[in-house]
Amino acid sequence: MQGSGSSENEFGAQNTTYLRSTEYGNPFDDQATSAAGMDGSQNYRNADHGGSPRQPIPNMYAEKQGNMDMYAQKAAAHGTAGGTGGDGNVHKGNHEHIEQLEITKTRRCWVLFAWLLTWWIPSPLLGLCGRMRRPDVRMAWREKVAICVLIVLSWVFLLFLIIGLGLILCPKEYVWTLDDVAGRNTEKSSFVALRGSVYDITDFMKQKHGDSAYSSTPDIMLQFYAGQDVNASFPIPVRVACPQFVSEKTDPNYLFYYPVQGASDDIDPNQANMFQHAMNRDPLSKELQDPNFFAKYALPMLKKFKKGGVVWKYDWINSMYKDQAKYWRVINKEVFNMQPYFDAAKSQLNTNKKYNLLDSRLESIMDQSGFGTADITKEYDALPWDPATKLANYNCMKNLFYVGEVDDRQSVRCLFTNYMLLAFACVLMLVVLVKFLAALQFGNKKRPVPPSKFVICQVPCYTEDDDSLIKTVNSLTALEYQDNHKLIFIICDGNIIGSGNDKPTPRIVLDILG
């Protein structure tokens, strides 16, 4: 061993020499140990200071040598079968040791799972094409593939949460509000709303239609139709819409329409400017002589121009019902404007209940004077009537008063994925905030206890100059290790004179160390 002592060097730092011990792997030979002053009984004498012998240091090298001999005996007992790879090892010898380890339940489950993910890759193929002849190598390869499969599946799952789940909970709908339709009133894009549906008439209005008496031009359609609700232009005779309630005897000439002239103030203001596709309006038109003109001619023509449905915000519908006392009702998300019906039914023109076509029980749940909400689905489903009566009333309402559906694009169901992503973002931000707060230091930082471990600082040098070596040595002496646990070991790699130096590197180191 080498003696230890302390002195102030020329750089202002405490210079310390340490023991070179064989305790940690015997880095020095026996001659160096003997030269340092260690006798056969492992007593250390400080030759430099003439001190008394220190406490004996255990001969750890001899202890480790005994452990190595014991390990060699155990390895020999296992024979010369080879290493842990089993059959197919490239090299076998006595130096390999087979250690039998108990396979845990977790390991068995993972191996089974890895096989479930990679069963489609036969082992002979791996041995032939992949040159994996050892079973443990093939198993390691399968485990890596299983991990890659799990990573890909996690990507797919995240994509499903971000994209697929939203489409399942809230399928894409091609719907429009009346505000959306009103914005499409130009020559390049013209939409109209008609009985709950939206149609793109941009190309249709350029085509010639009508007859000589009532010809239509693109300018007229652009002025009076584009961006509008054109229900008033296509009135449907009540006898056609509700054949179960209006007989030929009651209306032989198909003159019964809603809204009833003179009974309702809720009339489309654009009606006066729109052509009425009503029976007997144009004697020269064979199509208009048909009372079922809308279903037979108008719908098939407009079908190819259909863009989607009309939707209404439920808050607006409920406001119309409760705040303005309008007869807007929702049944199974379908919106019905019953205002023309009740205007006629409550007018003085309604003699002999002529305009009370619907079932009285249905009328009673619709006319509740602002009680409850506009949605009467539960009351409608609870009505005690037979299926035929229910169907007749529903068809009559659908043909005459249907205006669209409830807009649920802002419902919780449709916004669930947005809320979920927002929650994930909030969690991430919370984690970042917690980490930031945890990193803040509001008090004085306690000085850590100096480590008590032994440390060897090796400094290889080749062509460094005086300043570089001085800075290196000073930084190492300032390390917060106890002086008697720290050894600075400077290695000069050759007797070389570096560029800009006038002395070889070993000479510079010796001059620095004194």
Side-chain angles (χ1 to χ4, degrees):
M1 293 186 179
Q2 186 176 355
S4 66
S6 299
S7 62
E8 291 292 326
N9 59 24
E10 58 181 323
F11 310 112
Q14 190 175 19
N15 193 21
T16 306
T17 55
Y18 300 92
L19 301 178
R20 293 194 303 176
S21 173
T22 60
E23 183 178 356
Y24 296 96
N26 192 23
F28 306 106
D29 56 16
D30 295 338
Q31 294 179 356
T33 305
S34 301
M38 183 180 295
D39 54 20
S41 63
Q42 300 297 317
N43 289 333
Y44 168 72
R45 292 180 172 82
N46 192 331
D48 297 334
H49 299 82
S52 60
R54 295 189 180 181
Q55 295 296 326
I57 299 177
N59 192 347
M60 302 298 296
Y61 177 74
E63 222 176 280
K64 290 189 177 183
Q65 184 64 39
N67 292 337
M68 293 177 63
D69 295 340
M70 186 182 302
Y71 177 80
Q73 293 174 5
K74 290 182 179 180
H78 285 283
T80 59
T84 59
D87 295 337
N89 280 332
V90 177
H91 181 73
K92 299 180 181 179
N94 293 332
H95 65 283
E96 294 190 357
H97 168 62
I98 300 177
E99 184 178 0
Q100 300 294 335
L101 297 177
E102 181 182 358
I103 300 178
T104 62
K105 184 177 179 180
T106 304
R107 173 63 182 173
R108 291 179 185 275
C109 294
W110 166 246
V111 170
L112 177 61
F113 184 73
W115 269 100
L116 289 177
L117 294 180
T118 60
W119 61 268
W120 47 276
I121 308 176
S123 296
L125 182 63
L126 295 178
L128 182 63
C129 299
R131 298 181 181 179
M132 305 177 194
R133 302 189 181 279
R134 288 170 46 181
D136 59 332
V137 175
R138 292 195 294 267
M139 190 63 226
W141 185 88
R142 290 184 183 276
E143 292 181 40
K144 293 177 182 178
V145 173
I147 293 174
C148 293
V149 172
L150 289 178
I151 294 174
V152 173
L153 291 178
S154 65
W155 292 345
V156 173
F157 178 71
L158 290 176
L159 289 176
F160 170 76
L161 285 181
I162 297 173
I163 302 175
L165 184 60
L167 294 177
I168 293 176
L169 295 178
C170 186
K172 188 175 181 180
E173 299 177 309
Y174 295 94
V175 292
W176 307 76
T177 64
L178 285 189
D179 292 336
D180 298 332
V181 175
R184 300 299 186 99
N185 58 352
T186 63
E187 184 179 356
K188 294 183 178 180
S189 179
S190 300
F191 285 13
V192 295
L194 175 61
R195 301 197 177 277
S197 298
V198 177
Y199 300 93
D200 184 358
I201 62 169
T202 305
D203 297 328
F204 175 76
M205 67 182 183
K206 299 175 183 178
Q207 301 176 7
K208 182 179 180 181
H209 52 279
D211 52 29
S212 57
Y214 298 96
S215 61
S216 176
T217 64
D219 294 337
I220 293 177
M221 296 194 67
L222 189 63
Q223 181 180 359
F224 299 113
Y225 289 86
Q228 301 293 331
D229 184 342
V230 296
N231 286 349
S233 182
F234 294 88
I236 300 178
V238 178
R239 179 181 165 186
V240 175
C242 310
Q244 294 88 349
F245 304 134
V246 180
S247 63
E248 181 180 358
K249 181 180 179 180
T250 305
D251 184 21
N253 297 320
Y254 296 94
L255 299 178
F256 184 7
Y257 291 95
Y258 283 110
V260 176
Q261 188 70 27
S264 178
D265 296 330
D266 187 25
I267 299 177
D268 192 336
N270 294 319
Q271 182 177 356
N273 299 321
M274 294 182 180
F275 177 76
Q276 301 292 312
H277 295 79
M279 187 176 177
N280 300 323
R281 177 64 185 271
D282 184 5
L284 300 179
S285 174
K286 178 182 177 181
E287 290 81 2
L288 286 178
Q289 299 306 312
D290 191 335
N292 200 15
F293 169 81
F294 180 73
K296 208 180 265 191
Y297 299 102
L299 281 184
M301 174 63 71
L302 293 173
K303 183 178 180 180
K304 55 187 175 182
F305 300 106
K306 185 175 180 179
K307 300 297 292 184
V310 178
V311 291
W312 305 80
K313 295 184 182 298
Y314 181 76
D315 292 340
W316 183 89
I317 299 172
N318 208 40
S319 175
M320 292 290 289
Y321 167 64
K322 298 183 72 68
D323 300 336
Q324 301 187 31
K326 299 295 184 180
Y327 290 90
W328 284 70
R329 293 295 183 270
V330 176
I331 300 177
N332 294 321
K333 296 186 178 181
E334 292 183 332
V335 182
F336 299 92
N337 180 13
M338 303 299 296
Q339 191 67 37
Y341 177 85
F342 283 97
D343 285 344
K346 294 184 176 184
S347 70
Q348 297 179 355
L349 301 176
N350 189 19
T351 59
N352 301 323
K353 303 291 183 179
K354 175 182 178 181
Y355 299 123
N356 293 93
L357 301 180
L358 300 178
D359 191 283
S360 59
R361 294 167 293 184
L362 180 58
E363 289 183 354
S364 64
I365 66 173
M366 288 190 172
D367 187 11
Q368 295 181 342
S369 302
F371 174 77
T373 64
D375 192 344
I376 58 172
T377 301
K378 292 182 178 179
E379 295 85 347
Y380 176 80
D381 293 336
L383 287 177
W385 51 11
D386 60 276
T389 304
K390 180 179 180 180
L391 181 61
N393 281 266
Y394 173 76
N395 287 337
C396 183
M397 289 192 304
K398 187 70 176 286
N399 292 332
L400 290 176
F401 308 112
Y402 174 76
V403 293
E405 296 188 355
V406 176
D407 187 2
D408 59 354
R409 291 176 295 178
Q410 301 299 318
S411 64
V412 176
R413 176 173 58 87
C414 289
L415 297 178
F416 172 76
T417 54
N418 292 345
Y419 294 150
M420 182 181 62
L421 294 177
L422 179 61
F424 288 162
C426 291
V427 171
L428 291 177
M429 292 299 296
L430 180 62
V431 171
V432 173
L433 179 62
V434 170
K435 283 182 168 290
F436 172 75
L437 294 177
L440 295 179
Q441 182 179 348
F442 298 100
N444 294 328
K445 185 177 181 181
K446 294 183 178 180
R447 188 176 183 86
V449 178
S452 59
K453 295 182 179 180
F454 290 90
V455 60
I456 298 177
C457 305
Q458 295 185 359
V459 184
C461 53
Y462 185 59
T463 59
E464 286 77 8
D465 57 4
D466 301 46
D467 293 337
S468 299
L469 291 172
I470 291 173
K471 290 180 181 179
T472 303
V473 173
N474 282 340
S475 64
L476 293 177
T477 56
L479 292 176
E480 295 184 355
Y481 286 91
Q482 300 179 21
D483 289 343
N484 57 351
H485 287 71
K486 179 169 55 179
L487 171 64
I488 301 177
F489 187 45
I490 303 178
I491 303 172
C492 298
D493 189 11
N495 195 16
I496 304 299
I497 299 177
S499 177
N501 297 337
D502 56 356
K503 294 181 291 184
T505 304
R507 183 71 264 169
I508 296 176
V509 173
L510 291 175
D511 292 343
I512 292 175
L513 297 180

